[in-house]
Amino acid sequence: MNSPYLHIDHVTMNFPTPTGEFCALDDVNFVINKGEYISIIGHSGCGKSTVLNIIAGLLEASQGGIVLENKQINGPGPERAVVFQNHSLMPWLSVYENVAIAVRRVFKGKKTKKEMHEWILHNLNLVHMDHALDKLPSEISGGMKQRVGIARALAMEPKVLLMDEPFGALDALTRSHMQESLMDIQEKLNNTIVMITHDVDEAVLLSDKIIMMSNGPAADIGQVLEIDLPRPRNRVRLANNPTYNHYRQEVLSFLYERQANPLSEKSEEMPEKKLTEAEEAAVTEEENSVDNVTQLAPLDNSGKAA
Amino acid sequence: MALLSIPFTQQGSKINFQESFKQLMIPLSAMMLFLFAWELSASQIKTSLGLVPGPIEVSKQFGNLITEHAEERTKADAFYERQEKRNAKKLAKNPNAKVKIRNYTGKPTFFDQILTSLVTVFTGFLIATIIAVPIGIISGLSQNFYTAINPIIQIFKPISPLAWLPIVTIIVSAVYVSNDPTFSKSFIISALTVTLCCMWPTLINTAVGVASVDKDLINVSKVLQLSSFTKVWKIVLPSAIPMIFTGLRLSIGIGWMVLIAAEMLAQNPGLGKFVWDEFQNGSSNSLGRIMVAVLAIGIIGFVLDYLMLTLQRFISWDKTAVLR
């Protein structure tokens, strides 16, 4: 086996709290090949975003690390572009300028002014936002903002595109439009993508591989599911496809049977707070369930083999 | 404040006449009511300088102040004309004669004092801004720096201008020694007192504004590996602009109040000195003239605030924000 493109190498994450260390991730280990579309799915608070932030370099793992093309990553950088959940456009910059700030930073000295201008337009064209170049983010809809956020990330020509619940804040219809757009773009560019999601349909429709995470604290990978569906995929035609439904069923049963979320009523991943009895019970329960899952997840070995 | 709201209600393309008439009439009738109550109650109070002047008497005094100003100007013009003629004559007799040009040394009028006060407050405010905004940005960016200077800010912030004044006076008198000073000592003392008192709101608000920049935007700048300068210029400053302006508006308001007090206490030229001189003068007109000055102080303070608001509207990216 070749050395993997991106290796999340036995990452453990502890957050310091007043009552001692809080273990958010425990020995998370997987690999991503070039051009692969990976989704990470799991309940709120299971540490999905923590994984993404560690890959992005915005957080530093307590143990383990990230290896991209045989080089350990050290802090954030434009080769790992991030699409944030709430678009994160500068509200004072126009659509064009929001993409331009990234392009000017990444291609300074590599492209001429004219080439940069064309590259900005090309990327905005890719997400169908070339009609609103001079609009401010406050003047366009949520879906449009997210399109610009994606254009900004794509314009950096990243080795890995990281997306943190990119469509989580959008309504269902806009979300499915965005998913179609993303599939089109992916077909053209064949990027390596890691996407965080809590939407089962989105994960199955878009991904080559779904990484399902067990509940935190001390979350790790519960199961890895390869999605072997031909592309281009069409959500309407897939609706009655037995393989597609099997995959959906697989993810749903992982999320709602084996990892039924006992914390669902509680607040999100705030590590500060002291473990309550219920949470301690959850830890034990989760340990048991992980044991079950390891037997069911032979694919986890591929990561360790590297 | 009510007057301020008039131009904003007409933002829509359709101007609702009934609505804008109402918006105009409510503050106007309140103002009339106030003047009426003033006129009535003023005539009831007898002081050592005669009856307390009502609005009518005060407006007469305002007229007097304008006339005095005009007279003083004609005197000054006449003085300069005489001087010029005298010098021309001297030069005609002997081209090598030494010509002396003296400034007119008449008493500064009400309007001269207003101008002096305005120049002083702007100078003090400008120095305060130049100091406070960068320090505010640094303390917003660095928690350690903020922790370090926070106690100093908290101790200096509540100090009254009257307490600063003796210290500033003595230090400026000791340090600013020059045979041909560009600025008068009293001007520097007043301006520095304004600076010392009005820098704190800007500093604190800038720090808070910078510290509360959206974390996601900071993450964007990290992913892009922006240089610290680009980060501050393109991300931190624009998002902190509204808070910075809140601080600046508070600062200029405080600066204006402080200046009047400082001028009264230190007898430095300006509106404060005008009020104090009239108080010491104690003629039957004095109370009316003081009231003109007090109203002028209020109106100028309002205009200064409005200027800052206009500046904010001009600079800030967020044209939709409701500013009040």
Side-chain angles (χ1 to χ4, degrees):
Chain A
M1 189 181 162
N2 298 336
S3 61
Y5 187 62
L6 178 66
H7 188 181
I8 286 73
D9 192 1
H10 299 275
V11 164
T12 298
M13 187 73 208
N14 296 315
F15 290 107
T17 69
T19 51
E21 297 258 290
F22 173 90
C23 180
L25 298 174
D26 184 22
D27 202 30
V28 171
N29 185 55
F30 60 97
V31 297
I32 296 164
N33 298 319
K34 197 168 183 180
E36 226 174 3
Y37 195 127
I38 304 279
S39 289
I40 302 179
I41 199 166
H43 288 292
S44 287
C46 75
K48 305 179 296 255
S49 290
T50 309
V51 174
L52 195 94
N53 284 335
I54 291 172
I55 302 176
L58 295 169
L59 283 176
E60 203 182 333
S62 313
Q63 280 166 45
I66 309 294
V67 180
L68 176 62
E69 284 191 313
N70 294 319
K71 268 186 221 143
Q72 186 176 348
I73 67 118
N74 189 9
E79 82 279 3
R80 279 160 286 121
V82 186
V83 177
F84 295 92
Q85 178 171 7
N86 52 359
H87 66 78
S88 299
L89 302 177
M90 321 293 166
W92 49 90
L93 295 181
S94 68
V95 164
Y96 179 90
E97 283 296 323
N98 261 293
V99 179
I101 191 174
V103 170
R104 286 191 198 121
R105 173 68 190 82
V106 175
F107 296 102
K108 196 180 174 191
K110 292 178 202 153
K111 282 184 194 284
T112 64
K113 268 198 173 161
K114 195 165 171 257
E115 282 169 332
M116 283 196 212
H117 174 71
E118 274 157 16
W119 179 241
I120 295 163
L121 292 186
H122 169 78
N123 280 285
L124 282 168
N125 188 23
L126 212 57
V127 296
H128 309 295
M129 280 305 295
D130 46 340
H131 60 279
L133 299 179
D134 297 324
K135 289 251 162 67
L136 287 177
S138 57
E139 297 167 327
I140 59 179
S141 71
M144 288 169 153
K145 282 180 214 168
Q146 203 50 278
R147 283 173 192 271
V148 179
I150 292 171
R152 177 172 65 186
L154 290 174
M156 298 180 209
E157 268 191 340
K159 290 177 179 163
V160 186
L161 181 59
L162 305 170
M163 299 200 281
D164 190 357
E165 299 192 23
F167 313 133
L170 304 177
D171 65 272
L173 211 58
T174 313
R175 193 186 308 161
S176 55
H177 278 306
M178 296 293 292
Q179 289 161 354
E180 307 285 337
S181 278
L182 194 59
M183 283 194 284
D184 283 347
I185 293 168
Q186 180 59 1
E187 206 171 317
K188 283 181 206 152
L189 304 180
N190 204 26
N191 273 315
T192 310
I193 299 181
V194 180
M195 177 177 79
I196 305 287
T197 183
H198 51 230
D199 181 335
V200 176
D201 292 298
E202 181 172 281
V204 178
L205 184 69
L206 297 175
S207 323
D208 299 316
K209 210 195 260 180
I210 300 179
I211 291 173
M212 296 176 237
M213 287 189 59
S214 66
N215 285 333
D220 71 353
I221 295 171
Q223 187 181 343
V224 179
L225 184 68
E226 297 262 6
I227 307 292
D228 192 12
L229 287 169
R231 287 178 191 272
R233 297 174 186 170
N234 179 306
R235 81 177 67 235
V236 184
R237 252 176 278 145
L238 281 176
N240 289 320
N241 182 320
T243 335
Y244 174 79
N245 284 324
H246 166 73
Y247 288 137
R248 279 192 69 216
Q249 155 72 27
E250 193 92 349
V251 180
L252 286 170
S253 86
F254 176 86
L255 287 178
Y256 298 105
E257 286 166 13
R258 275 172 278 162
Q259 292 291 329
N261 188 358
L263 312 178
S264 55
E265 300 298 308
K266 299 220 156 62
S267 63
E268 308 248 329
E269 41 200 302
M270 292 308 291
E272 283 92 335
K273 82 184 165 187
K274 206 179 154 188
L275 289 187
T276 61
E277 279 180 10
E279 281 166 340
E280 270 162 1
V283 178
T284 15
E285 190 189 319
E286 183 252 316
E287 276 165 4
N288 297 334
S289 56
V290 167
D291 286 339
N292 292 334
V293 171
T294 18
Q295 292 159 3
L296 293 163
L299 288 166
D300 204 23
N301 294 332
S302 66
K304 279 166 185 157
Chain B
M1 270 297 125
L3 281 171
L4 248 183
S5 66
I6 299 164
F8 305 155
T9 51
Q10 302 180 347
Q11 270 172 354
S13 51
K14 282 184 223 158
I15 298 169
N16 186 335
F17 277 107
Q18 213 177 348
E19 190 58 28
S20 30
F21 183 71
K22 209 171 117 189
Q23 289 292 333
L24 194 69
M25 282 321 285
I26 292 175
L28 218 59
S29 36
M31 187 69 84
M32 294 306 289
L33 208 69
F34 167 73
L35 291 177
F36 187 65
W38 175 12
E39 182 71 53
L40 270 187
S41 52
S43 56
Q44 306 296 314
I45 307 169
K46 209 167 151 58
T47 69
S48 55
L49 303 178
L51 287 178
V52 172
I56 298 167
E57 174 62 22
V58 167
S59 56
K60 266 185 209 156
Q61 289 304 331
F62 183 59
N64 285 348
L65 285 169
I66 294 175
T67 333
E68 273 174 32
H69 180 72
E71 281 169 4
E72 202 65 29
R73 273 297 115 87
T74 11
K75 270 196 208 165
D77 288 345
F79 169 82
Y80 284 117
E81 215 183 297
R82 279 202 307 277
Q83 177 172 270
E84 221 168 274
K85 271 185 192 162
R86 201 167 49 235
N87 288 338
K89 243 187 225 171
K90 251 189 186 173
L91 285 174
K93 265 187 199 166
N94 173 13
N96 297 327
K98 260 195 179 174
V99 172
K100 278 182 192 161
I101 295 175
R102 289 195 180 85
N103 287 328
Y104 178 67
T105 49
K107 175 174 157 255
T109 67
F110 178 61
F111 297 96
D112 297 334
Q113 301 286 37
I114 289 182
L115 192 70
T116 312
S117 285
L118 281 177
V119 172
T120 316
V121 82
F122 273 120
T123 311
F125 172 70
L126 207 69
I127 300 172
T129 307
I130 291 169
I131 298 172
V133 171
I135 295 182
I137 291 174
I138 297 170
S139 40
L141 290 174
S142 155
Q143 182 62 44
N144 286 340
F145 187 78
Y146 182 73
T147 317
I149 66 161
N150 190 40
I152 303 174
I153 297 175
Q154 298 305 338
I155 290 171
F156 281 155
K157 192 177 59 158
I159 295 176
S160 152
L162 308 182
W164 279 122
L165 201 60
I167 303 176
V168 176
T169 310
I170 290 169
I171 291 179
V172 169
S173 305
V175 175
Y176 189 71
V177 186
S178 133
N179 291 329
D180 182 26
T182 329
F183 304 108
S184 69
K185 248 177 212 168
S186 62
F187 169 76
I188 291 178
I189 292 165
S190 302
L192 284 184
T193 309
V194 167
T195 302
L196 279 171
C197 294
C198 83
M199 61 189 282
W200 312 111
T202 303
L203 205 165
I204 292 168
N205 278 283
T206 305
V208 172
V210 167
S212 56
V213 173
D214 189 348
K215 234 185 140 224
D216 281 341
L217 296 186
I218 295 295
N219 278 342
V220 170
S221 86
K222 281 186 188 161
V223 168
L224 284 172
Q225 293 176 331
L226 295 180
S227 65
S228 331
F229 176 79
T230 321
K231 181 180 136 192
V232 169
W233 187 246
K234 294 260 179 174
I235 295 179
V236 170
L237 264 185
S239 40
I241 276 280
M243 283 298 278
I244 294 177
F245 267 96
T246 306
L248 289 177
R249 280 174 69 194
L250 286 171
S251 279
I252 202 160
I254 289 178
W256 183 240
M257 287 205 278
V258 161
L259 178 68
I260 303 298
E263 285 168 351
M264 280 180 85
L265 187 72
Q267 292 292 289
N268 293 339
L271 262 178
K273 182 169 161 53
F274 176 86
V275 172
W276 193 250
D277 286 350
E278 288 301 331
F279 176 56
Q280 297 295 343
N281 187 11
S283 84
S284 57
N285 288 336
S286 287
L287 210 45
R289 289 157 74 97
I290 290 177
M291 284 190 182
V292 174
V294 166
L295 285 178
I297 291 168
I299 291 167
I300 291 169
F302 170 73
V303 170
L304 289 178
D305 189 65
Y306 191 74
L307 276 180
M308 291 310 296
L309 201 68
T310 315
L311 192 66
Q312 173 173 12
R313 216 180 290 262
F314 183 69
I315 290 179
S316 177
W317 50 273
D318 194 356
K319 308 290 181 204
T320 56
V322 181
L323 303 173
R324 42 179 98 236

